[in-house]
Amino acid sequence: MAGLGDVTFAPMDALSDGVGGIDITLEKPAEQLATGSYNYFAEGDLLLAKVTPCFENGKKALIPKLPNRIGFATSEVHVIRPNAERIDPRYLRYLLSSATFIDAGNASMTGAGGLKRISDNSIKDFECPNLSLETQRRIADYLDAETDRIRDLTHKKRRQISLIHQKARQRAMVLAMGNATFEYSPTTGRPTRIIGLPDHWRTRRAGLLFQEVNEPNGDDQPILSVSIHHGVSDRQLEDEDKDRKTNLIEDRTSYKRIRPGYLVYNMMRAWQGGIGVSTVDGAVSPAYVVAKPRTELHGSYYYHLLRTPLYVEQMRQGSKGIVDFRLRLYWEQFRQILLPIPSLQEQMDIASQMVSILADADKVASKVHASLVKLKQYQTALITTAVHGELEVAGRAGSTSTDGLKVAL
């Protein structure tokens, strides 16, 4: 591999779900990859995820032209080289996306828990339709057009879901701010004051409304988490969640105690909305920041306020770090954030309206999401029917090859 320079590198994240695809922009030195536990691939090969749940999600890629003609992929993919005299590579990609193949692959998986894998032999022994190359090409042409149409429709529906939530968050933000907005410093671009607030509202820095605390978890409270989607959880993490999300420390006294009304945020995820107000007693990771109210406040109001676009952006601006995945919001920066203070009754009324707006948006978005699920099911059914020669586009249906895919690879 000496002298090849940089070549394409394909970790699992570079592969797309469904009918597949690959991001070929990531490169690494060939010498570095050649000595590691990576799988070599070339143009025209097909990569297929072997490990659960990536296999079930359809992570795969038919390799296009590459800058240096070769690449290396994660060891958790099978590299399949189609025999162009027996099988059309595009047809093979669709065959490996069919429910028939996925079901057979799932049934053949070996291993335990989240480490199950599909073997080489389960691919080679898969009984594939005995169709002519011409028929395979017609099927691939037809499915190329149909999956392009489905992809465009899927993109529109996902965009629709995003807009539904975006508009709801905007409405909620206007309510929470009392139609006010920020005045920004022309030099730093940071908010300097809130303008346009109702006359009887006040403003304070977050550090005057909340006080950082580090109460030990002496009572062995349940371990809770902070989500960018739902704020502070209201129940103990299940064992599976602990393994996936948290490195639990045996000594639970090192965790921070939280109580109803306490503000909690994840320093590394605050800029994404990883903040919440607890409604229950519990404990959280030592890596979280915990603060208790200095005065009587309605937690739900400040929870929803701090997750609005204006405040999420402020938390991003206040976070320290060179790149996004290394950003951290320390208390010294958070405590400088300006917050409005409506009356307690207004806080409760506004919070109730915000909850209603966001819940209504979730209901509408869930209906669009349900149509996305049906669209995905339709695509899988269409691919499955087509690759078996059961659509008119394929002409006469062929038999099933008892030799399996190994004759075509």
Side-chain angles (χ1 to χ4, degrees):
M1 296 295 171
L4 280 178
D6 289 347
V7 296
T8 301
F9 175 55
M12 189 65 76
D13 286 347
L15 304 184
S16 301
D17 295 346
V19 295
I22 185 170
D23 177 1
I24 61 171
T25 60
L26 183 59
E27 295 183 346
K28 287 190 176 183
E31 291 82 357
Q32 175 186 336
L33 296 172
T35 56
S37 57
Y38 301 105
N39 285 342
Y40 165 84
F41 65 87
E43 295 173 353
D45 288 348
L46 196 149
L47 307 184
L48 176 71
K50 65 171 74 168
V51 67
T52 186
C54 299
F55 172 77
E56 293 91 332
N57 292 338
K59 280 189 175 292
K60 67 177 71 65
L62 183 60
I63 303 303
K65 288 186 177 181
L66 301 172
N68 211 349
R69 302 191 65 182
I70 66 168
F72 289 86
T74 168
S75 60
E76 293 294 359
V77 299
H78 291 291
V79 180
I80 303 169
R81 184 157 295 167
N83 181 345
E85 294 181 359
R86 290 180 175 272
I87 194 163
D88 180 86
R90 293 178 303 140
Y91 170 81
L92 176 61
R93 176 169 65 103
Y94 288 118
L95 181 62
L96 300 186
S97 302
S98 68
T100 312
F101 176 77
I102 294 170
D103 290 345
N106 283 332
S108 70
M109 277 193 167
T110 57
L115 294 177
K116 290 184 178 180
R117 292 178 176 85
I118 179 173
S119 69
D120 290 326
N121 287 336
S122 63
I123 299 172
K124 294 175 182 177
D125 295 339
F126 178 71
E127 295 183 354
C128 62
N130 187 13
L131 302 173
S132 69
L133 270 173
E134 179 58 32
T135 298
Q136 293 176 28
R137 291 182 185 119
R138 287 206 305 271
I139 292 172
D141 288 342
Y142 170 75
L143 289 176
D144 281 348
E146 286 300 298
T147 54
D148 281 349
R149 185 179 65 83
I150 292 170
R151 183 181 61 246
D152 290 344
L153 186 55
T154 298
H155 176 76
K156 289 178 182 177
K157 287 181 178 291
R158 286 176 176 162
R159 176 62 178 159
Q160 184 180 1
I161 291 173
S162 177
L163 287 173
I164 288 168
H165 289 305
Q166 182 179 325
K167 289 179 179 179
R169 289 193 296 268
Q170 190 67 31
R171 287 180 60 201
M173 183 173 69
V174 170
L175 265 176
M177 294 291 292
N179 289 306
T181 188
F182 286 103
E183 183 175 82
Y184 295 89
S185 165
T187 54
T188 66
R190 301 285 180 84
T192 54
R193 66 189 184 108
I194 303 176
I195 55 176
L197 283 173
D199 292 339
H200 60 290
W201 287 24
R202 297 173 296 145
T203 60
R204 291 288 187 277
R205 301 282 180 184
L208 295 176
L209 295 183
F210 295 93
Q211 174 187 356
E212 184 182 18
V213 292
N214 290 289
E215 300 177 22
N217 181 31
D219 298 330
D220 196 27
Q221 293 292 326
I223 304 301
L224 308 178
S225 62
V226 181
S227 161
I228 63 174
H229 302 292
H230 308 294
V232 182
S233 62
D234 59 2
R235 63 179 179 84
Q236 166 85 30
L237 283 173
E238 300 295 339
D239 289 339
E240 183 179 347
D241 293 330
K242 292 174 187 174
D243 293 339
R244 186 170 64 250
K245 298 178 182 178
T246 310
N247 290 322
L248 289 179
I249 302 170
E250 290 297 327
D251 180 10
R252 290 199 175 190
T253 59
S254 64
Y255 282 78
K256 297 179 180 180
R257 174 73 184 271
I258 61 173
R259 305 173 190 272
Y262 277 24
L263 177 80
V264 185
Y265 72 81
N266 183 334
M267 284 196 296
M268 295 182 291
R269 305 295 295 275
W271 64 276
Q272 294 175 300
I275 189 166
V277 174
S278 182
T279 59
V280 296
D281 286 302
V284 293
S285 165
Y288 290 171
V289 173
V290 178
K292 70 177 183 180
R294 292 179 180 271
T295 185
E296 189 175 13
L297 301 171
H298 186 60
S300 180
Y301 168 77
Y302 285 98
Y303 162 65
H304 289 293
L305 173 71
L306 288 165
R307 287 165 60 87
T308 61
L310 272 177
Y311 279 95
V312 169
E313 174 58 20
Q314 278 198 65
M315 288 187 282
R316 188 194 68 78
Q317 289 180 347
S319 296
K320 302 294 185 180
I322 299 174
V323 292
D324 284 351
F325 68 89
R326 291 189 180 276
L327 290 179
R328 284 172 169 77
L329 180 65
Y330 297 99
W331 176 252
E332 283 306 308
Q333 281 70 48
F334 179 83
R335 67 190 299 274
Q336 299 301 321
I337 293 176
L338 275 172
L339 296 171
I341 311 175
S343 70
L344 187 60
Q345 185 59 53
E346 284 176 304
Q347 292 176 32
M348 292 187 284
D349 292 343
I350 292 170
S352 177
Q353 293 177 65
M354 293 172 78
V355 168
S356 179
I357 288 170
L358 297 173
D360 288 345
D362 285 342
K363 288 179 183 177
V364 176
S366 68
K367 292 179 180 178
V368 181
H369 184 267
S371 71
L372 270 175
V373 172
K374 290 181 179 179
L375 192 59
K376 183 178 179 181
Q377 292 170 342
Y378 166 74
Q379 176 174 272
T380 301
L382 179 69
I383 290 172
T384 303
T385 304
V387 296
H388 286 281
E390 296 173 3
L391 289 180
E392 188 175 343
V393 65
R396 248 177 106 180
S399 59
T400 298
S401 169
T402 56
D403 293 328
L405 264 177
K406 59 186 174 185
V407 301
L409 305 179

